[in-house]
Amino acid sequence: MSPPSGQQPWFWRGHRLDLLAERAVWDPQPRTLLVADLHLGKAEVFQAHGVALPSDGDATTLNALLELAQRFNPLQVVVLGDLIHGRAGLTVELREKLAALPELLGCPLRLIDGNHERGSWLEGLRREASCPLGPIWLSHAPEARSERLNLCGHLHPVAVVGRGADRLRLPCFAFRRGQQHGPAEQQGEQLVLPSFGHLTGGHPCSESEGLWLVAEGTVVPWRIPGPATTPLRHAAAGTQPWSPYVRPSHPDASAADPPCGPRQ
């Protein structure tokens, strides 16, 4: 296995996705940069409720996004929901930054509607419903699709590794596999992106999820999903639980879906 790096390629049914240490995904075929859960304006929302948080988190988040756009020169940047944290955080300054963002990125900016955008109006930026992008299904919250890989956010996945004083909580990419036999809406596979925002928390992943950890500028393969047809493998001799994931090794269209469009 090659050593971990800041750009970890992964293939889903032959379609390449690059998992980035900046907590983003690069889809090279349509030259699309994907991020989720920026939660811009979160500090201002907390300040409005009497919690004194510093307001410099947005600059860190936006600068990281601009650096990725400069590095990859994408044809589009897609935010998988929760670009902002709430209406109370939409200051005049933040609205100006959002209005200038497509020009600064050098490409169109698209927003898949998230729960934190509800009740807010973003000038010049339409909120789109979940939609396909090639073999990928884009959404904010997880939405299984039996013939597509669902790329989503919302969950802010983190992995808890180590024990005691050496215990760490690390942001991660989480792969979730649905039921092989059951309703169609439960059969799909999902790749959940870590939150891109600087000022965000996280929720621990379960033992059943495939994981790539993000640490020290690298993406570390941890529990890597094999093909859907791979039989379940025992993790180790003894009393270890059965797992559909293999560690550490690399893994090697569709029904009609509604087109992308703005939410009503």
Side-chain angles (χ1 to χ4, degrees):
M1 184 182 75
S2 59
S5 70
Q7 185 169 340
Q8 196 66 234
W10 178 63
F11 292 85
W12 186 83
R13 299 187 185 182
H15 186 85
R16 175 172 173 159
L17 295 172
D18 289 343
L19 314 184
L20 308 179
E22 292 83 359
R23 296 184 285 184
V25 168
W26 171 244
D27 190 342
Q29 188 170 328
R31 297 195 59 80
T32 296
L33 182 65
L34 299 115
V35 295
D37 300 293
L38 281 69
H39 288 272
L40 300 174
K42 183 174 182 177
E44 286 71 20
V45 172
F46 275 68
Q47 291 164 12
H49 290 85
V51 181
L53 288 181
S55 298
D56 55 355
D58 286 355
T60 302
T61 299
L62 289 171
N63 285 338
L65 184 62
L66 293 176
E67 288 171 5
L68 281 175
Q70 184 177 23
R71 173 178 159 194
F72 287 98
N73 191 27
L75 294 181
Q76 62 178 349
V77 173
V78 178
V79 177
L80 299 174
D82 289 359
L83 172 66
I84 62 170
H85 189 69
R87 185 167 51 185
L90 272 174
T91 62
V92 173
E93 181 183 3
L94 180 55
R95 286 188 179 278
E96 291 175 349
K97 289 179 179 178
L98 292 176
L101 198 51
E103 182 178 355
L104 294 173
L105 291 170
C107 66
L109 174 66
R110 295 174 55 192
L111 173 62
I112 303 300
D113 199 13
N115 54 299
H116 279 266
E117 274 85 38
R118 291 170 189 164
S120 300
W121 175 71
L122 303 173
E123 183 178 1
L125 184 60
R126 69 175 189 173
R127 294 154 50 193
E128 301 183 34
S130 304
C131 62
L133 178 68
I136 308 299
W137 182 257
L138 306 178
S139 66
H140 175 56
E143 295 179 8
R145 288 293 185 275
S146 59
E147 294 300 323
R148 295 184 189 272
L149 175 67
N150 176 212
L151 251 61
C152 58
H154 185 60
L155 301 180
H156 301 204
V158 298
V160 180
V161 297
R163 295 179 181 178
D166 292 328
R167 186 176 174 182
L168 295 174
R169 285 169 58 95
L170 299 173
C172 63
F173 297 89
F175 177 84
R176 296 144 53 104
R177 180 169 288 151
Q179 302 175 9
Q180 288 186 325
H181 305 287
E185 65 272 13
Q186 298 179 9
Q187 294 181 18
E189 298 177 334
Q190 298 163 342
L191 182 67
V192 186
L193 276 65
S195 58
F196 190 79
H198 179 70
L199 191 62
T200 54
H203 299 280
C205 296
S206 71
E207 289 294 327
S208 65
E209 296 176 78
L211 301 178
W212 294 261
L213 310 183
V214 178
E216 300 293 332
T218 64
V219 179
V220 182
W222 195 248
R223 291 197 300 264
I224 307 305
T229 55
T230 300
L232 298 183
R233 291 192 179 187
H234 204 275
T239 59
Q240 296 295 322
W242 289 81
S243 170
Y245 304 107
V246 182
R247 180 164 70 94
S249 62
H250 289 292
D252 254 352
S254 59
D257 286 304
C260 292
R263 280 214 187 270
Q264 301 299 323

